[in-house]
């Protein structure tokens, strides 16, 4: 059982800028006077806008706040009747399994089997018992095919599944899940939903912080809406399902049913964004082809990861690249941008054959894990990082930052920014460098409704200025708001194409989201 009794927590100034979500709130963000109970066999969902305190509650429950995240805690937080603060870290780990939003932050091994075994080894289990439990866990979660693999060879979604398996290996009585589906495709999300349902049936108390709410229908018992660190509303599953869509929107919550997602019917996208093109030619009325690939393949020695892919990216167009985890999407995009040495095939830039070097000068990829590509000591310096002195002097850094709503953080170190701010900073550097092809890898992973719409508007603005934009995504809502076309990738091949506005049901099928109720 997980219990909060008038629990409050305020981060020490500067300790948790990302949780704060905006400049100046470090030290103020957190939670205030929260009383909540998650009983055995119950799934409780924490929902609300980014920065509302969802992750903070999980950190209080697993002891990371204030042990790892400094700050002031008040009230009581209990696991199975004992205060978390009085438990040693290893006892907390036995009682509450935590899955973080970014699986990289909780890996301790370089191979998948060792990672699943790690918690058992740390708990002092004998070797034969560890082997038996690891095998049983992988079979139960349907992950036998990932056994013995290098962590570095896995897709983001596959890594998250291994992280989940490592949590479940100990069979803890309480589960704390922070955005557990943020990197997963629709079939994998369905698997996670089934797993959580089984854990619930086995008597586990499950506390989930989540933006993507559709998968929790039929699984969750209670929804707790947080606003400004306080509980604003507690709803049963039936009460939550009865909410008017406009009320859901006003609460900053994502859709409850992916079958309801569709491109905007009006000529203007949500919140004033520029709508996807709706012209009648095969490329959706886009401009000239900027980057084109034919027969592009990538092989790391175990068979092709990308196998003969054909891609056209056009100026003024946003293209979604969809497909299951491990289909080869990120590898394809890296090859298109000239980042992969093992790529074979023909790549043209402006109709001329392009070397890797020429492609890296014209293209840029905004990674899913944005921390890998921020290097400077301040946001302002990051905008021109890597440019020659002459090129940097020609950039109006202040204007670039203002365009992306980053002018207020110019002097901040990139590591202190929120996830959304880091992403926009990487885009600012691309804009300053004059990149013509921009690739985004899961830009809305772990982002709330407002954040998703901001990303959609950003993608449309970039396309409207003549750039070719490619976005890897599992997010059907983002595709509906921002994309002109969709490419479906499966086992290294592009197997289907569709225009998003005119054939959205085909796009829905590509993502595995299913059809609307009453449709075939």
């Amino acid at each position: 059982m997980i219990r909060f009794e008038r629990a409050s927590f305020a981060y020490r100034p500067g300790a948790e800028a990302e949780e704060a979500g905006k400049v100046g709130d470090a030290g103020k963000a957190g939670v205030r006077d929260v009383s909540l109970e998650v009983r055995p066999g119950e799934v409780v969902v924490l929902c609300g806008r980014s920065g509302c305190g969802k992750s903070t509650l999980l950190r209080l429950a697993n002891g990371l706040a204030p042990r790892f995240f400094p700050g002031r805690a008040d009230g009581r937080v209990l696991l199975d009747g004992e205060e978390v603060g009085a438990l040693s870290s290893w006892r907390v780990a036995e009682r509450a399994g935590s899955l973080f939003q970014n699986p990289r932050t909780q890996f301790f091994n370089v191979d998948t089997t060792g990672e699943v075994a790690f918690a058992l080894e740390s708990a002092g289990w004998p070797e034969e018992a560890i082997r038996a439990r690891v095998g049983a866990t992988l079979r139960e979660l349907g992950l036998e095919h990932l056994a013995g693999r290098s962590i570095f060879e896995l897709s983001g979604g596959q890594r998250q599944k291994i992280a989940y398996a490592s949590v479940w290996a100990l069979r803890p009585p309480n589960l704390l899940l922070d955005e557990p589906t943020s990197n997963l495709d629709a079939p994998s999300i369905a698997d996670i939903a089934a797993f959580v349902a089984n854990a619930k049936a086995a008597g586990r108390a499950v506390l989930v912080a989540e933006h993507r709410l559709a998968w929790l229908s039929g699984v969750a018992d209670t929804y707790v809406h947080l606003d400004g660190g306080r509980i604003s509303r507690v709803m049963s599953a039936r009460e939550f399902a009865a909410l008017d869509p406009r009320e859901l929107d006003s609460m900053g919550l994502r859709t409850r049913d992916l079958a309801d997602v569709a491109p905007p019917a009006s000529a203007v996208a949500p919140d004033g964004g520029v709508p996807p093109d709706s012209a009648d030619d095969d490329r959706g009325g886009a401009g000239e082809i900027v980057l084109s690939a034919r027969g592009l393949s990538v092989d790391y020695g175990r068979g092709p990861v990308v196998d003969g892919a054909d891609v056209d990216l056009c100026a003024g167009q946003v293209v979604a690249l969809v497909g299951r985890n491990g289909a080869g999407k990120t590898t394809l995009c890296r090859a298109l941008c000239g980042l992969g040495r093992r790529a074979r095939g023909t790549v043209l830039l402006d109709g001329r054959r392009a070397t890797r070097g020429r492609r890296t000068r014209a293209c840029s990829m905004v990674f899913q894990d944005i921390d890998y590509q921020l290097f400077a000591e301040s946001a302002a310096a990051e905008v021109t990082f890597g440019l020659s002195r002459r090129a940097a002097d020609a950039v109006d850094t202040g204007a670039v930052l203002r365009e992306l709503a980053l002018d207020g953080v110019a002097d901040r170190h990139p590591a202190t920014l929120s996830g959304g701010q880091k992403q926009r900073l990487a885009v600012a550097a691309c804009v300053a460098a004059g990149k013509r092809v921009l690739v985004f890898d899961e830009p809305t992973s772990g982002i709330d409704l407002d954040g998703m719409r901001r990303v959609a508007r950003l993608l449309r603005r970039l396309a409207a200025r003549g750039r070719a934009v490619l976005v890897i995504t599992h997010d059907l809502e983002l595709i509906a708001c921002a994309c002109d076309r969709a490419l479906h990738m499966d086992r290294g091949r592009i197997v289907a194409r569709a225009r998003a506005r005119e054939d959205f049901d085909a796009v829905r099928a590509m993502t595995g989201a299913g059809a609307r109720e009453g449709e075939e």
Side-chain angles (χ1 to χ4, degrees):
M1 183 177 67
I2 307 163
R3 184 178 178 88
F4 300 87
E5 296 179 353
R6 305 199 68 176
S8 298
F9 184 80
Y11 291 97
R12 191 177 67 196
E16 188 48 271
E18 184 165 338
E19 178 70 15
K22 53 185 179 181
V23 180
D25 278 359
K28 300 179 184 178
V31 293
R32 289 172 287 174
D33 200 28
V34 171
S35 294
L36 177 67
E37 184 174 272
V38 187
R39 295 181 294 273
E42 185 177 29
V43 176
V44 173
V45 180
L46 302 173
C47 57
R49 290 182 168 86
S50 294
C52 68
K54 301 185 299 296
S55 293
T56 299
L57 285 178
L58 296 183
R59 290 168 181 171
L60 285 171
N62 61 24
L64 289 180
R67 292 177 182 174
F68 184 80
F69 296 98
R72 177 177 176 177
D74 294 297
R76 299 208 306 164
V77 183
L78 303 97
L79 291 174
D80 301 330
E82 293 194 58
E83 288 199 48
V84 173
L87 296 172
S88 60
S89 58
W90 67 270
R91 292 187 66 197
V92 173
E94 284 188 333
R95 296 185 181 212
S98 297
L99 177 66
F100 305 132
Q101 183 175 321
N102 183 352
R104 186 173 63 89
T105 63
Q106 65 186 100
F107 283 154
F108 295 91
N109 290 268
V110 296
D111 70 288
T112 55
T113 302
E115 187 60 41
V116 177
F118 180 79
L120 304 171
E121 293 171 335
S122 300
W125 282 41
E127 181 178 347
E128 289 306 311
I130 291 174
R131 291 183 182 277
R133 176 58 65 84
V134 168
T137 298
L138 293 175
R139 285 192 300 274
E140 181 178 348
L141 299 180
L143 300 179
E144 300 103 315
H145 64 290
L146 296 181
R149 298 272 298 276
S150 167
I151 291 290
F152 303 105
E153 294 178 355
L154 303 183
S155 69
Q158 290 170 331
R159 292 182 186 183
Q160 197 167 26
K161 291 181 181 181
I162 289 298
Y164 206 119
S166 70
V167 168
W168 184 239
L170 268 176
R171 304 298 192 273
N174 305 290
L175 294 175
L176 305 169
L177 312 180
D178 194 353
E179 300 286 348
T181 68
S182 60
N183 299 317
L184 301 183
D185 54 34
S188 297
I189 289 174
D191 292 341
I192 294 295
F195 170 70
V196 173
N198 289 339
K200 171 184 173 179
R204 267 61 180 184
V206 185
L207 184 60
V208 186
E210 185 64 281
H211 288 303
R212 298 174 72 174
L213 301 173
W215 70 275
L216 287 158
S217 177
V219 177
D221 299 286
T222 304
Y223 292 81
V224 178
H225 183 256
L226 296 169
D227 186 9
R230 294 182 181 273
I231 293 178
S232 67
R233 192 166 180 179
V234 178
M235 297 161 283
S236 68
R238 179 174 296 180
E239 291 170 331
F240 183 73
L243 285 177
D244 184 275
R246 290 171 296 183
E247 189 173 10
L248 200 73
D249 191 277
S250 71
M251 296 166 71
L253 301 181
R254 294 283 207 115
T255 185
R256 292 164 299 191
D257 188 348
L258 292 176
D260 294 334
V261 177
S266 65
V268 179
D271 289 353
V274 180
D277 202 304
S278 58
D280 291 331
D281 64 84
D282 185 56
R283 290 182 285 111
E288 296 298 320
I289 296 175
V290 178
L291 189 70
S292 178
R294 294 292 179 268
L296 191 61
S297 299
V298 180
D299 192 330
Y300 292 122
R302 294 185 177 181
V305 179
V306 178
D307 188 8
D310 296 341
V311 178
D312 291 324
L313 301 180
C314 304
Q317 194 174 73
V318 181
V319 178
L321 181 61
V322 305
R324 297 199 62 168
N325 295 126
K329 303 184 298 295
T330 299
T331 302
L332 171 62
C333 289
R334 289 177 59 87
L336 288 171
C337 293
L339 300 177
R341 294 180 178 276
R342 295 177 179 266
R344 299 290 182 269
T346 301
V347 182
L348 305 178
L349 186 63
D350 295 325
R352 295 169 47 210
R353 190 162 188 143
T355 62
R356 287 181 56 245
R358 186 166 173 239
R359 301 203 306 273
T360 57
R361 290 189 292 273
C363 308
S364 187
M365 187 168 176
V366 180
F367 299 140
Q368 183 175 323
D369 193 339
I370 201 68
D371 291 322
Y372 281 129
Q373 63 188 116
L374 299 177
F375 306 101
E377 295 297 317
S378 70
E382 188 67 43
V383 173
T384 56
F385 187 87
L387 298 181
S388 67
R389 178 172 296 180
R390 177 178 297 180
D393 289 343
V395 175
D396 186 342
T397 300
V400 173
L401 290 173
R402 281 193 299 275
E403 180 185 14
L404 294 165
L406 293 170
D407 47 310
V409 301
D411 297 327
R412 295 258 307 270
H413 193 287
T416 69
L417 303 181
S418 71
Q421 289 170 333
K422 289 177 182 179
Q423 182 187 81
R424 296 201 302 276
L425 183 57
V427 173
C430 299
V431 171
K435 303 291 188 178
R436 299 174 56 213
V437 179
L438 298 179
V439 179
F440 294 80
D441 193 348
E442 295 285 359
T444 57
S445 175
I447 288 182
D448 64 5
L449 177 66
D450 298 334
M452 184 276 293
R453 288 174 172 168
R454 282 195 296 271
V455 170
R457 292 196 298 270
L458 172 61
L459 298 179
R460 294 311 313 170
R461 285 201 304 272
L462 293 169
R465 295 180 182 181
R467 290 178 170 84
V469 181
L470 178 63
V471 54
I472 301 170
T473 186
H474 298 299
D475 193 337
L476 192 64
E477 292 176 272
L478 176 67
I479 298 173
C481 285
C483 296
D484 301 285
R485 290 191 295 134
L487 306 177
H488 183 198
M489 194 167 189
D490 184 38
R491 299 180 184 181
R493 294 178 175 269
I494 302 297
V495 296
R497 294 171 169 81
R499 291 176 58 191
R501 288 180 65 83
E502 291 75 10
D503 199 5
F504 196 72
D505 283 338
V507 176
R508 192 189 307 276
M510 289 177 181
T511 64
R516 293 173 181 271
E517 186 175 352
E519 294 181 355
E520 293 297 331

